Amino acid sequence: MTAKKIKQLEIILSIAALLLVGLGLFIHGQTAGKQTIIQLRLPRVIFALFGGSMLTVSALLFQTTLRSDYIDGSMLGLASGAELVIALVNVLFSQLLSYRVLIGALTGGLLLVILRTTLFKVKRSSFFLILGGLSLALLFVAATQLITTGSGFQGKSLSNTTWTDLWFLVIILLSGLLLLLWQWEQFKGFVLPSLQAQQLGFNEQKSSLVFQLVAGMWLGAVSAVLGTVFFVGIVLVQIVKLSTKVVAGQRIFLTILTGGCVLVCADDLAHYLIPSQELPTNALLMLLTAPLILFLIMRWSREV
C-alpha cells in the first residue's frame, strides 16, 4: 500500500473514531443531562479510545521485538495476570480499587520483567514461547475465577469506568509514549533480520527491554478495567500489516486508530445492543474480532 493510501485510510479511521465516540456519549432509555454524560459516558468512551490504541500497540511491540506474528500480551499471561491481581485487590483490599489502572500497569510491568528472566530467556522458538505463555495465562484465568466466585467482581466491562481510571490511564499512556520516543531509533533495528542485526552489533535483548516494558504496562493498565481479551491484539495488528505491507514503524499510527475504533465500537454495542442492559465489553470485543482469526488462519496456512 502506498503512503498516500495509508494516509487516506488514517483519515477515514480518524473520522470513524470521532463518530463512534460521539455515538457513545448518548445514554439510551433515559433523558440524559449534561452532568450525566460528563460523569458516566465521557470517561468511558475516552478510556475505550485510548485503551484500544494501547491494546493494539502493545501487541505490535511484542510481535516486533519477539519477531513473531503469533504473539500478544494476552498470550503471554500479562493481561490475565493483571486481572488476577485486580481480583485479589477487590477481595482483600477493596479500598484500593480506585487505583486499579495503576496497579494493573505495575503488575504488567512486573510480570514482563519476570518473563524476561525466565520464559523469554529459555525459549527455543516462538512455539514454546506461545505454549508457555498460554499455560501461564490459563493458570491466571482459573485462579481469577476461583477467587471471584460469588464476590460480584466485574472486571470485564467499561460500564463502571471512572474519571480516576481515565486519569491514571492517560498518565501511563504519556509515560509510555515518552519512553518510546526516547528509544525509537532502537526500534528501527528490529526491521532488519535477526542475524543481520546481530552482525551489525545490535543487541536485541537489551534494546527490546523498554519496548516490552511499555507494552506490558499498557496492557496491564487496560486489562485492569477491561479484563483479558485473547487474540485481539494479534488479529488487529496482523490485519493492518496485511493491508499495508509496510514495516511496523510506518504503520503504528494506523494500528493506533484501528485499536481505538474497534474498542469504542465494541463498547458502544455493549451499551446499546440490549435496551436497559449492559453487556460485557470484552465479550463484544472478542465477538467482533473472532471471525478475523479464521481469516488469518487461512492466510497463514497458505504460507506454510
Side-chain angles (χ1 to χ4, degrees):
M1 185 178 286
T2 64
K4 183 178 179 180
K5 288 185 177 180
I6 291 175
K7 194 69 177 178
Q8 291 172 344
L9 191 54
E10 289 173 350
I11 293 171
I12 291 171
L13 285 176
S14 297
I15 295 171
L18 290 174
L19 291 174
L20 288 167
V21 167
L23 177 64
L25 290 177
F26 293 100
I27 297 180
H28 63 76
Q30 52 183 290
T31 302
K34 182 179 177 181
Q35 284 302 313
T36 305
I37 292 174
I38 291 174
Q39 293 301 323
L40 296 180
R41 295 301 302 161
L42 191 57
R44 177 174 176 172
V45 294
I46 297 177
F47 190 101
L49 185 65
F50 289 171
S53 301
M54 293 163 72
L55 189 70
T56 48
V57 173
S58 169
L60 176 67
L61 294 175
F62 277 125
Q63 289 175 23
T64 304
T65 58
L66 294 173
R67 296 187 181 275
S68 174
D69 292 339
Y70 317 110
I71 285 176
D72 70 359
S74 69
M75 296 180 64
L76 298 172
L78 300 178
S80 48
E83 187 179 5
L84 172 60
V85 170
I86 297 304
L88 285 169
V89 169
N90 179 69
V91 173
L92 301 175
F93 310 101
S94 58
Q95 68 274 17
L96 297 177
L97 272 181
S98 58
Y99 302 98
R100 59 181 175 171
V101 172
L102 178 60
I103 294 170
L106 293 175
T107 302
L110 178 61
L111 286 174
L112 186 278
V113 171
I114 294 172
L115 284 175
R116 282 180 61 91
T117 59
T118 54
L119 197 58
F120 287 12
K121 214 168 186 179
V122 301
K123 75 180 182 72
R124 296 292 179 268
S125 71
S126 59
F127 171 77
F128 294 106
L129 183 58
I130 292 169
L131 192 62
L134 276 175
S135 300
L136 188 64
L138 293 175
L139 173 65
F140 288 154
V141 168
T144 302
Q145 290 178 344
L146 290 173
I147 290 169
T148 58
T149 299
S151 67
F153 174 66
Q154 296 179 336
K156 301 180 183 296
S157 176
L158 299 185
S159 61
N160 58 353
T161 304
T162 65
W163 278 107
T164 302
D165 293 329
L166 180 59
W167 291 132
F168 277 124
L169 188 79
V170 170
I171 291 170
I172 294 160
L173 171 61
L174 293 177
S175 301
L177 284 175
L178 289 175
L179 288 173
L180 292 181
L181 290 173
W182 172 49
Q183 289 290 300
W184 192 248
E185 286 300 317
Q186 295 294 319
F187 190 70
K188 296 177 182 178
F190 292 97
V191 175
L192 299 171
S194 184
L195 182 59
Q196 185 179 347
Q198 290 175 14
Q199 290 172 343
L200 293 173
F202 181 68
N203 188 332
E204 286 192 15
Q205 179 69 11
K206 182 179 178 181
S207 300
S208 65
L209 174 59
V210 170
F211 302 109
Q212 291 174 0
L213 191 61
V214 170
M217 293 184 68
W218 278 3
L219 181 62
V222 177
S223 301
V225 180
L226 182 64
T228 303
V229 282
F230 286 103
F231 304 112
V232 171
I234 294 175
V235 171
L236 297 181
V237 171
Q238 289 306 307
I239 290 296
V240 174
K241 181 180 179 181
L242 290 172
S243 301
T244 59
K245 300 186 185 302
V246 295
V247 296
Q250 295 176 343
R251 55 187 157 89
I252 191 165
F253 186 59
L254 198 56
T255 302
I256 289 170
L257 290 172
T258 301
C261 283
V262 172
L263 184 51
V264 174
C265 181
D267 192 51
D268 285 352
L269 287 173
H271 181 61
Y272 290 112
L273 202 56
I274 299 179
S276 71
Q277 183 177 346
E278 288 281 351
L279 298 175
T281 307
N282 72 346
L284 268 296
L285 179 59
M286 288 187 282
L287 188 65
L288 285 177
T289 54
L292 298 175
I293 297 175
L294 300 177
F295 168 75
L296 288 176
I297 289 173
M298 288 188 290
R299 282 292 299 258
W300 287 331
S301 66
R302 288 199 294 267
E303 295 173 1
V304 175

